[in-house]
Amino acid sequence: MQKKVKKRGLELRKNWPGYLLIAPAVLAILSLSIYPLFRGIYLSFVNYNLVRPNEAIFNTFAGLQNYVKIFTNAVFQQSVVNTVKWTVVNLVAQLIVAMLLALALNKKLKGRSLYRTLILVPWAVPHAIAAMTFTFLYNANVGIINILAVKLGMLTESISWLGSIDYAFWCVALVAIWKGIPFQMIFILAALQGIPESVYESAEMDGASRWQSFWRITLPIIKEPLAIATILNLIGIVSCFNTIWLMTEGGPLYSTEILYTFAYREAFINHNFGTAAAASVILFLFMALFSWIYLRMVREKE
Amino acid sequence: MLTRNQKRGLRLAVAYVFIILMVFLAVLPFVYVILTALKTKEQIYDPNQIIPTYITFENFRHVIFESNFVRYFLNSIFITVVTMIICMILSVMAAYGLTRYRIVGAEKIKMAVLMTRMFPGILLCIPYYIIMRQLHLIDSYVGLILMYCSFTLPFAIWNTCAFFSTIPWELEESARIDGCSRSQAFFSVIFHVAKPGLFVTALFCFMNSWDEYMYASIFINTTLKKTIQVGMKDFIGQYSVDWGLLMSAVVISLIPILVFFALVQKNLVGGLSSGAVKG
């Protein structure tokens, strides 16, 4: 026991420059991420309505009142439904297209690296710019989508895509999917490139069809990187604020409102930090839960 | 019945068609953006001028010389470069400490760093507003850079650690046997080996902060201090949008991204998947 303590002391003395080197980064993360996280969670239990900062209850403990307030709010309820819909639509669409693209790009094609670079363009473009570009393309007066559709006779007159309750959600989702595919694809492609060709050749010799070798060989091998990529992608999808806010601001009639935009609206438009913090905590829990379910699903198949 | 070779040929053809279709979908919007930026106002509203028969650089001239756009562009460059430098210094130090010294709980620290990426930006943003107001850092670049570090730093640390674990550290040992001090050995030998990896990491930090919109729109109030992503909204009026100007602004703001692409072309795929980046 004595010896162990002594050894640990010696270890510490020998490695002190290491601790010194990681200290600034650890301090930065503690003060810039961990502390605000806990402060945010704390705020969700506090009365903090900036519209009425002189009220007696301002900055006092509120218990679960903020949570009760948002759960009885119809817009919040709709934003929860929208968040689930938004996540599932984005995730499924991105996963399928990215998988097909990665499988196609994994073949020996002429000009493969050129295609790969060009396909990465949507990922590299800043979110705000993508949002403004597509707002332009969807526009009722000058948008190319309307112009072409009318010219080709598919529409009798222009549609204000982003102003319509029926279409806005899908139009914005399309932009998020368009922007999200390359990231997912790169991960799958990197994993696919690690599988030696000989594995498929021997499977083919044994009479396995393409379909079978995909499910039996490819998928199990790339499962782990796929799971990591999907969770990272999920974080991006759920916090896809810029695209939604710049295209529709959650409208029309809250049809594109997700938890993230709801929390933003509560905080910086309605100035109620308490309920906004409560909504963001729900969002955080949603992300954690979704990742957990996904990881469980991946593990179960083993 | 198709022969095996025909089947293979067919599959290849399908792959080509699919990829080319996706390339078009990825790039075509921006082709149209460039075309629009080169049109006059009348042309933009004219369905017969989808592909313009004559072009003008008037939009670009206006954006560059008669708006605040260049100022916004430089503001963004300043903020992103400072964020990038801070993140790189801190993460190289931390990664060196974590890989070259025996740190108690090193794996746990790395996992905790990764976990911070799960925190939704809006959950941090609300307390930031209160903290920054107390520190008088609202409408200041110091505050904004600190917040930008909160999302670029975890990624930079994680990525640098990944690169450092692949470096042949015997090089450092032999340099030290030759009489170098530890820091000399690092800067004269290891730094050169790690340069490509650090370069990719730095550029991803650059991209992430260049992309940021929400914090900048909340915390910067002074017009001339705006970043490029927020400043872009200047061209969107209350009732009408000058699409020609907006689209030329989009084209100009994509220049750094193009430079970035040209620079990391080779290391992009590896750099992306090893460090797990999300823009």
Side-chain angles (χ1 to χ4, degrees), chain A residues 164-200:
Chain A
S164 135
I165 302 179
D166 298 325
Y167 303 124
F169 180 88
W170 301 101
C171 290
V172 180
L174 203 66
V175 178
I177 292 167
W178 175 82
K179 205 165 167 357
I181 288 169
F183 175 77
Q184 186 90 41
M185 186 275 287
I186 280 293
F187 269 87
I188 302 175
L189 187 61
L192 285 178
Q193 282 171 347
I195 306 176
E197 188 66 27
S198 59
V199 178
Y200 292 110

Side-chain angles (χ1 to χ4, degrees), chain B:
Chain B
M1 199 59 192
L2 296 164
T3 65
R4 177 166 283 190
N5 263 343
Q6 277 171 320
K7 255 185 179 170
R8 184 161 290 166
L10 192 70
R11 270 202 302 265
L12 212 59
V14 170
Y16 266 118
V17 170
F18 181 59
I19 289 171
I20 287 168
L21 183 76
M22 292 311 282
V23 168
F24 268 105
L25 285 178
V27 178
L28 227 47
F30 295 102
V31 175
Y32 192 62
V33 165
I34 294 169
L35 286 180
T36 307
L38 296 171
K39 288 179 193 175
T40 62
K41 240 180 209 148
E42 292 73 41
Q43 279 177 300
I44 292 172
Y45 286 90
D46 184 355
N48 297 318
Q49 288 282 337
I50 292 174
I51 295 162
T53 46
Y54 54 96
I55 59 166
T56 168
F57 288 96
E58 177 55 28
N59 291 323
F60 285 100
R61 197 192 59 77
H62 188 103
V63 167
I64 294 170
F65 296 109
E66 281 164 35
S67 75
N68 296 326
F69 196 70
V70 173
R71 179 65 190 265
Y72 301 153
F73 188 94
L74 294 175
N75 290 346
S76 268
I77 293 274
F78 173 75
I79 294 169
T80 42
V81 167
V82 174
T83 307
M84 183 177 85
I85 291 171
I86 294 175
C87 283
M88 286 319 288
I89 293 173
L90 289 188
S91 62
V92 166
M93 279 167 64
Y96 188 85
L98 284 168
T99 43
R100 297 298 291 156
Y101 290 95
R102 215 171 297 156
I103 305 286
V104 181
E107 281 309 306
K108 280 193 189 128
I109 293 174
K110 272 195 243 174
M111 277 317 287
V113 167
L114 195 65
M115 275 296 289
T116 60
R117 297 192 46 163
M118 283 261 285
F119 304 167
I122 187 75
L123 181 53
L124 302 179
C125 192
I126 297 163
Y128 278 154
Y129 194 83
I130 298 170
I131 299 167
M132 293 300 169
R133 213 169 44 172
Q134 282 164 349
L135 297 174
H136 301 288
L137 286 179
I138 284 186
D139 206 26
S140 111
Y141 286 163
V142 177
L144 203 60
I145 288 167
L146 283 175
M147 286 182 278
Y148 281 13
C149 285
S150 77
F151 58 79
T152 50
L153 187 61
F155 152 70
I157 294 175
W158 185 260
N159 221 29
T160 316
C161 279
F163 280 119
F164 273 16
S165 65
T166 62
I167 284 175
W169 290 100
E170 305 82 50
L171 287 173
E172 190 194 43
E173 308 285 322
S174 53
R176 290 190 66 195
I177 291 167
D178 292 343
C180 286
S181 74
R182 200 153 188 165
S183 55
Q184 277 174 329
F186 180 80
F187 283 108
S188 59
V189 183
I190 296 303
F191 193 69
H192 292 281
V193 184
K195 225 158 54 182
L198 294 179
F199 198 52
V200 173
T201 311
L203 282 160
F204 281 129
C205 287
F206 183 92
M207 286 248 309
N208 274 347
S209 17
W210 184 263
D211 183 33
E212 208 289 324
Y213 170 81
M214 190 180 74
Y215 291 145
S217 73
I218 293 171
F219 289 92
I220 298 296
N221 309 320
T222 312
T223 307
L224 283 181
K225 282 187 180 174
K226 281 188 200 168
T227 66
I228 192 163
Q229 313 292 348
V230 180
M232 200 87 77
K233 279 187 96 175
D234 280 9
F235 300 110
I236 302 178
Q238 186 90 49
Y239 303 105
S240 71
V241 182
D242 195 323
W243 293 108
L245 295 186
L246 184 63
M247 291 304 123
S248 11
V250 164
V251 172
I252 296 170
S253 70
L254 285 175
I255 292 170
I257 305 296
L258 287 180
V259 174
F260 159 81
F261 250 69
L263 286 175
V264 292
Q265 237 298 331
K266 251 191 314 185
N267 301 322
L268 198 63
V269 175
L272 255 175
S273 43
S274 74
V277 194
K278 177 73 181 172

Side-chain angles (χ1 to χ4, degrees), chain A residues 265-286:
Chain A
R265 189 188 304 281
E266 279 298 292
F268 298 104
I269 291 179
N270 301 335
H271 302 291
N272 192 340
F273 278 24
T275 49
S280 345
V281 170
I282 300 290
L283 173 69
F284 183 42
L285 292 177
F286 175 83

Side-chain angles (χ1 to χ4, degrees), chain A residues 1-290:
Chain A
M1 191 66 203
Q2 190 78 40
K3 214 172 166 188
K4 217 175 175 183
V5 171
K6 216 174 178 183
K7 201 176 158 204
R8 190 177 288 168
L10 196 73
E11 278 272 319
L12 273 177
R13 208 168 309 150
K14 212 174 71 185
N15 289 313
W16 68 267
Y19 289 95
L20 218 59
L21 282 169
I22 66 168
V26 169
L27 279 178
I29 285 182
L30 281 177
S31 55
L32 292 174
S33 294
I34 313 282
Y35 168 67
L37 174 80
F38 284 107
R39 180 114 185 225
I41 295 172
Y42 165 76
L43 264 176
S44 74
F45 297 105
V46 166
N47 292 307
Y48 211 100
N49 192 338
L50 285 176
V51 180
R52 290 187 284 274
N54 298 321
E55 251 176 26
I57 56 160
F58 185 75
N59 211 358
T60 56
F61 188 66
L64 289 172
Q65 271 177 33
N66 288 326
Y67 289 92
V68 172
K69 230 177 259 166
I70 55 169
F71 273 102
T72 50
N73 183 339
V75 178
F76 176 80
Q77 290 162 5
Q78 189 176 354
S79 77
V80 172
V81 176
N82 285 346
T83 306
V84 175
K85 195 165 112 185
W86 173 263
T87 311
V88 172
V89 167
N90 266 289
L91 211 55
V92 171
Q94 289 183 22
L95 212 56
I96 292 172
V97 179
M99 180 67 85
L100 291 173
L101 251 183
L103 287 171
L105 279 172
N106 198 32
K107 289 182 191 296
K108 289 186 189 72
L109 302 173
K110 274 189 201 114
R112 191 167 67 170
S113 66
L114 176 70
Y115 298 139
R116 203 182 54 199
T117 311
L118 289 176
I119 281 172
L120 284 177
V121 166
W123 169 77
V125 170
H127 286 86
I129 291 180
M132 284 178 201
T133 303
F134 275 88
T135 308
F136 171 61
L137 300 180
Y138 283 133
N139 186 281
N141 302 318
V142 292
I144 184 84
I145 295 171
N146 276 313
I147 292 176
L148 284 181
V150 170
K151 242 188 173 177
L152 299 174
M154 285 151 75
L155 289 177
T156 45
E157 60 177 356
S158 294
I159 293 178
S160 168
W161 297 100
L162 297 174
S164 135
I165 302 179
D166 298 325
Y167 303 124
F169 180 88
W170 301 101
C171 290
V172 180
L174 203 66
V175 178
I177 292 167
W178 175 82
K179 205 165 167 357
I181 288 169
F183 175 77
Q184 186 90 41
M185 186 275 287
I186 280 293
F187 269 87
I188 302 175
L189 187 61
L192 285 178
Q193 282 171 347
I195 306 176
E197 188 66 27
S198 59
V199 178
Y200 292 110
E201 277 161 15
S202 59
E204 203 174 337
M205 288 238 231
D206 292 342
S209 72
R210 281 269 150 171
W211 188 246
Q212 278 171 327
S213 58
F214 172 76
W215 286 103
R216 297 271 168 78
I217 302 169
T218 315
L219 213 52
I221 294 179
I222 66 166
K223 206 166 67 180
E224 201 136 298
L226 191 65
I228 296 169
T230 308
I231 288 180
L232 285 172
N233 208 6
L234 174 85
I235 297 170
I237 289 169
V238 181
S239 31
C240 196
F241 170 80
N242 298 350
T243 311
I244 295 179
W245 196 257
L246 284 169
M247 290 181 79
T248 62
E249 298 199 355
L253 279 176
Y254 305 108
S255 59
T256 53
E257 185 95 319
I258 60 171
L259 272 168
Y260 204 106
T261 55
F262 177 84
Y264 177 88
R265 189 188 304 281
E266 279 298 292
F268 298 104
I269 291 179
N270 301 335
H271 302 291
N272 192 340
F273 278 24
T275 49
S280 345
V281 170
I282 300 290
L283 173 69
F284 183 42
L285 292 177
F286 175 83
M287 273 157 77
L289 184 76
F290 216 99

